[in-house]
Amino acid sequence: MGSISGAEERERDRPAGRGARPARRRLSVDRRREELVAAALELFGARDAEDVSIDDVASAAGTSRALVYHYFGGKQELYVAALRSAADQLEARLQPSENGGPVERLAVGLERYFDFVEERAAGFAALVRGGPANRSGEVGEIVDGVRHRLLGLVMRLLRVEEPGPVLRVTLRSWIASVETVALDWLEYRDVDRRVVERILVDHMVATLGVAAGHDPRVVPLLENLVSEHAP
């Protein structure tokens, strides 16, 4: 796979005439795949997957549809590869901090999350919009896998090994709120990002307060957060 393929040779050597694309520079297989995935993420992030065609991706990447098919086999395979790339990039940003108390660690995690949202807007939008309507198959596994790992990270920063049902529902609803807020911020950007991050920290404290009223096991977690979060 390290050598240039026949399809890519033909694409690169196509004579440039009127309306023809300029000759492409020679790229490694991995680099060419990265370019195609990046182009796909931009499109999938802006539109629903069913509204994006292989021709759209080929045009955005400045290549031929034959080359896209050569690397990915079809749109579903390309869509899965694009979402997996976005998921891997997001998870790489979210390595938990071990310094400070729960609120400080939560704030650091949100900062890293919004770094990804801001720097990889199309990838984030494509990833979030990959569910829940498309929860079946590989797409569902990728999207739900990211959310499951986010739940694990939040549990780790709260130092919870196994949440009860009330805490689990509370944390999963908070993660869904983070996604919704991030999409809203990307669309409007009329609230300072740091303010948004602080709102989400406050939101965590508030939702744990509600949960504590339904499950006494949440009370120590809330007290720990409130003691650090108090002005």
Side-chain angles (χ1 to χ4, degrees), residues 14-33:
R14 177 184 296 165
R18 177 177 295 181
R21 296 187 186 94
R24 299 272 297 175
R25 63 194 183 284
R26 181 169 181 168
L27 298 174
S28 69
V29 169
D30 288 343
R31 183 62 187 136
R32 182 56 57 84
R33 284 179 61 90

Side-chain angles (χ1 to χ4, degrees), residues 9-218:
E9 284 280 10
R10 291 190 295 274
E11 173 69 10
R12 191 192 69 193
D13 296 335
R14 177 184 296 165
R18 177 177 295 181
R21 296 187 186 94
R24 299 272 297 175
R25 63 194 183 284
R26 181 169 181 168
L27 298 174
S28 69
V29 169
D30 288 343
R31 183 62 187 136
R32 182 56 57 84
R33 284 179 61 90
E34 289 172 4
E35 280 199 347
L36 293 172
V37 164
L41 278 175
E42 289 290 336
L43 293 169
F44 290 132
R47 301 189 303 218
D48 291 337
E50 57 267 26
D51 296 330
V52 177
S53 69
I54 288 290
D55 286 334
D56 292 332
V57 176
S59 177
T63 189
S64 69
R65 70 196 310 267
L67 199 59
V68 181
Y69 277 113
H70 172 76
Y71 277 100
F72 296 99
K75 189 175 84 169
Q76 180 64 16
E77 292 84 351
L78 176 58
Y79 185 46
V80 168
L83 291 188
R84 197 176 300 283
S85 173
D88 289 345
Q89 291 173 37
L90 175 57
E91 290 177 28
R93 299 287 186 100
L94 296 179
Q95 297 306 311
S97 171
E98 299 298 334
N99 299 320
V103 169
E104 184 179 349
R105 295 197 303 274
L106 179 61
V108 170
L110 284 168
E111 181 180 4
R112 292 174 179 173
Y113 186 92
F114 274 86
D115 282 345
F116 176 81
V117 171
E118 185 168 15
E119 296 167 17
R120 299 284 186 271
F124 173 78
L127 185 62
V128 173
R129 289 170 182 160
N134 296 313
R135 257 183 211 282
S136 61
E138 288 183 276
V139 171
E141 290 175 8
I142 293 168
V143 176
D144 285 341
V146 169
R147 290 169 180 158
H148 182 74
R149 281 183 281 279
L150 284 172
L151 175 62
L153 287 171
V154 175
M155 287 167 48
R156 183 172 172 179
L157 72 84
L158 293 175
R159 306 202 187 284
V160 173
E161 292 188 5
E162 188 64 39
V166 170
L167 181 58
R168 185 194 66 244
V169 168
T170 298
L171 296 181
R172 293 187 71 174
S173 68
W174 182 80
I175 289 169
S177 297
V178 171
E179 291 180 356
T180 302
V181 169
L183 284 174
D184 182 90
W185 181 80
L186 277 178
E187 182 177 358
Y188 295 104
R189 297 185 189 247
D190 52 359
V191 180
D192 183 87
R193 193 189 117 179
R194 303 305 175 191
V195 173
V196 170
E197 293 170 15
R198 289 196 297 272
I199 287 172
L200 289 169
V201 171
D202 292 344
H203 186 190
M204 170 64 83
V205 175
T207 54
L208 285 179
V210 173
H214 296 273
D215 184 350
R217 291 173 294 180
V218 180

